[in-house]
Amino acid sequence: MPLRDITDLEKLKKINAALVSRVERSMDQQGNAFSLFQTAISLENRVRTRTEELHSTLRRLEQSNIDLSAAKENAELANLSKTRFLAAASHDVLQPLNAAHLSVSALAEVQTSDEGRKLVRQVERSLETMEDLLRTLLDISKLDAGVVQPDIGDVNLETLFSSLRSDFLPVADMKGLTLKFRPVNELVRSDRTLLRRILQNILSNALHYTRSGGVLVGTRHRGDTIRIDVADTGCGIPDDQREAVFEEFHRGTIPADAGLAGGGLGLGLAIVRRIAAALGHPVTFSSKVGHGTIFHIDVPVGIGATADAIANAADMERPRGYGLFGTKVLLVENDAEVLQAMTSLLERWQCLVRAATSTDDALDLLGDTAWVPDIVIADQHLDGGDLGTATVAEVRDYLGRAVPALIVTADGSEAIAKAARAAGIELMRKPLKPAQLRALLAHLLA
């Protein structure tokens, strides 16, 4: 119906209201749609922003991982470089140090006055301190670089304790202290050399920081482990130093009334912690200031007897004191100072020495059929790239018999030790202890 034909005013109002209502609903719907559209756009923008932030974070994280990996690799290379440097530096320093040891030993034998012997002993002590420092720094470097691989086997504790007792009893007697090892008939799973190093460092500390009383070493079973206890009656360790004592170059605080001298390198327990970590042997201690300290080392129980105990027992039964008079020694050494010092020392022992600097020189000396060496002593690294083990092999081949031989080297690598063992050659590390050298020569010639 056309609007002009509508005459009812009320009806017209109703129609108008209906139209207005329809328009309003339409506008509301459009408004809601627009609002939703705006919301969707806003959410999309927020999602895009968060996505970009996440990508940026992931990129930064990836770069951080790359940087960390590079830093780890650089740190490992630095550790290896440090180890190689220390090994090379130690080798170069140990060579003249070895010559000094041998020269001082020869000098000691010609001293007739008390003052001369006193001065020689002072020089020997200084050389020993230098050697201990060099070897300990090298050990720490190797342990930090992770290049020390324990040789795990059954270790006879009684044999190990007997060896330690022999080493430390003179130290204890000199200080007027008691040193006791409780008898033990046990095998433990460990590396004999590294376990011995742990115990000797702890024992050294215990005797150093004890003025009266003494040190007691014993064992206790704790399930499938054996706890080794080293107890002393020393000055004790304060609570605020429980972690510091394991740090490098940390020397314990000695009470003023303890009557103890300072000294030591402050590296003993730093070595202990590193070796214990490499072996997986927990090391703990309890201490009371003024009363003493007890160190505990937990070691797994052994699984059966091995050749280790037999070999160690054989070492202890080696004969001592045989004379070297008239022994013919073929000495192969390329360092002039070491060669001179070693020759002088051997001649003081009444040995007949012929010296060479290479394999060819050594073989030339054998051309004199009237002179056949009783023993060969050779450095491992010789002139012309020759190796002492190869020199010994050629000398033996030339003579047609397995003449006793000894490799003397400042190279501490396991490869040389294995090569010497495989060839049936004894091995000693530089710097040499003259008394040990003489005892070993006597044993080889017995």
Side-chain angles (χ1 to χ4, degrees):
M1 176 183 298
L3 290 176
R4 62 176 178 272
D5 294 334
I6 299 175
T7 56
D8 188 342
L9 185 59
E10 290 300 323
K11 186 180 289 188
L12 188 59
K13 288 180 179 181
K14 288 179 180 180
I15 292 172
N16 183 61
L19 290 173
V20 170
S21 177
R22 183 178 297 177
V23 170
E24 288 176 348
R25 285 199 303 273
S26 177
M27 290 180 67
D28 287 343
Q29 289 173 355
Q30 290 177 2
N32 289 338
F34 183 70
S35 177
L36 288 173
F37 178 70
Q38 284 185 317
T39 300
I41 291 175
S42 176
L43 287 173
E44 183 180 1
N45 288 336
R46 289 170 64 185
V47 168
R48 184 182 296 110
T49 301
R50 294 294 183 270
T51 301
E52 289 175 354
E53 290 176 352
L54 181 59
H55 284 163
S56 177
T57 301
L58 288 173
R59 283 193 297 271
R60 287 197 301 272
L61 182 59
E62 183 179 358
Q63 185 60 46
S64 295
N65 287 336
I66 293 172
D67 293 342
L68 285 173
S69 179
K72 180 176 180 290
E73 184 177 350
N74 288 336
E76 290 173 349
L77 289 174
N79 256 339
L80 289 175
S81 297
K82 179 181 69 174
T83 299
R84 293 192 191 101
F85 169 77
L86 281 176
S90 296
H91 180 275
D92 291 343
V93 174
L94 288 175
Q95 282 283 65
L97 188 59
N98 180 57
H101 263 301
L102 298 173
S103 298
V104 168
S105 180
L107 180 64
E109 296 193 17
V110 300
Q111 293 301 311
T112 57
S113 68
D114 291 340
E115 183 65 21
R117 284 191 288 269
K118 180 181 178 181
L119 290 173
V120 167
R121 184 56 193 148
Q122 287 177 350
V123 174
E124 285 179 336
R125 281 197 296 268
S126 297
L127 292 174
E128 288 168 0
T129 300
M130 288 174 60
E131 179 189 348
D132 288 343
L133 178 58
L134 284 169
R135 291 198 182 281
T136 303
L137 289 173
L138 183 58
D139 286 344
I140 287 179
S141 178
K142 287 180 177 178
L143 289 165
D144 285 345
V147 298
V148 175
Q149 298 298 324
D151 182 13
I152 302 298
D154 281 353
V155 179
N156 187 307
L157 282 184
E158 182 59 38
T159 303
L160 181 59
F161 285 1
S162 295
S163 173
L164 290 167
R165 183 189 298 109
S166 175
D167 286 352
F168 285 97
L169 195 55
V171 179
D173 288 343
M174 185 173 63
K175 296 188 66 175
L177 303 173
T178 62
L179 175 61
K180 295 182 179 179
F181 290 77
R182 286 179 178 161
V184 58
N185 184 24
E186 298 288 353
L187 295 175
V188 294
R189 294 290 292 174
S190 186
D191 180 302
R192 184 184 185 278
T193 301
L194 296 180
L195 179 59
R196 190 185 195 283
R197 188 68 182 276
I198 289 176
L199 291 172
Q200 74 181 36
N201 283 7
I202 293 175
L203 276 168
S204 179
N205 263 23
L207 290 170
H208 179 73
Y209 289 103
T210 299
R211 181 180 63 175
S212 61
V215 179
L216 173 66
V217 181
T219 61
R220 290 180 288 164
H221 263 284
R222 295 171 61 88
D224 58 354
T225 65
I226 291 177
R227 168 164 285 188
I228 303 173
D229 294 325
V230 181
D232 65 60
T233 56
C235 58
I237 301 172
D239 287 341
D240 61 357
Q241 293 186 26
R242 294 187 67 87
E243 284 300 315
V245 294
F246 291 103
E247 296 174 359
E248 296 90 340
F249 301 106
H250 176 86
R251 295 180 178 87
T253 302
I254 302 175
D257 61 349
L260 296 170
L265 302 174
L267 293 170
L269 292 182
I271 284 283
V272 165
R273 169 165 282 186
R274 286 168 167 82
I275 294 178
L279 291 173
H281 299 345
V283 174
T284 56
F285 70 86
S286 54
S287 185
K288 187 174 181 181
V289 175
H291 291 78
T293 303
I294 306 176
F295 273 87
H296 316 286
I297 307 100
D298 293 327
V299 189
V301 175
I303 59 176
T306 67
D308 180 76
I310 299 173
N312 293 338
D315 285 342
M316 295 176 63
E317 293 170 3
R318 285 180 176 173
R320 306 289 184 188
Y322 292 97
L324 299 176
F325 179 83
T327 298
K328 293 187 285 293
V329 179
L330 175 58
L331 177 61
V332 191
E333 170 64 66
N334 65 322
D335 186 291
E337 290 184 359
V338 175
L339 184 65
Q340 181 179 354
M342 180 73 89
T343 300
S344 176
L345 183 65
L346 291 169
E347 289 178 345
R348 290 292 305 171
W349 294 342
Q350 305 300 311
C351 295
L352 305 175
V353 183
R354 289 197 177 183
T357 60
S358 67
T359 302
D360 289 341
D361 287 347
L363 294 176
D364 288 342
L365 292 175
L366 299 179
D368 180 0
T369 56
W371 192 88
V372 178
D374 298 309
I375 191 167
V376 180
I377 302 176
D379 189 8
Q380 176 63 3
H381 300 288
L382 301 168
D383 286 348
D386 289 352
L387 297 178
T389 46
T391 301
V392 170
E394 294 203 32
V395 168
R396 285 174 169 176
D397 185 61
Y398 183 92
L399 296 174
R401 65 185 182 88
V403 61
L406 168 64
I407 292 295
V408 178
T409 179
D411 189 335
S413 68
E414 182 61 24
I416 292 176
K418 289 181 179 178
R421 285 196 298 268
I425 303 172
E426 292 291 332
L427 178 72
M428 292 189 76
R429 309 287 190 189
K430 294 179 180 179
L432 296 178
K433 300 291 192 299
Q436 293 177 359
L437 174 62
R438 184 168 184 170
L440 179 57
L441 293 179
H443 167 68
L444 292 174
L445 295 164

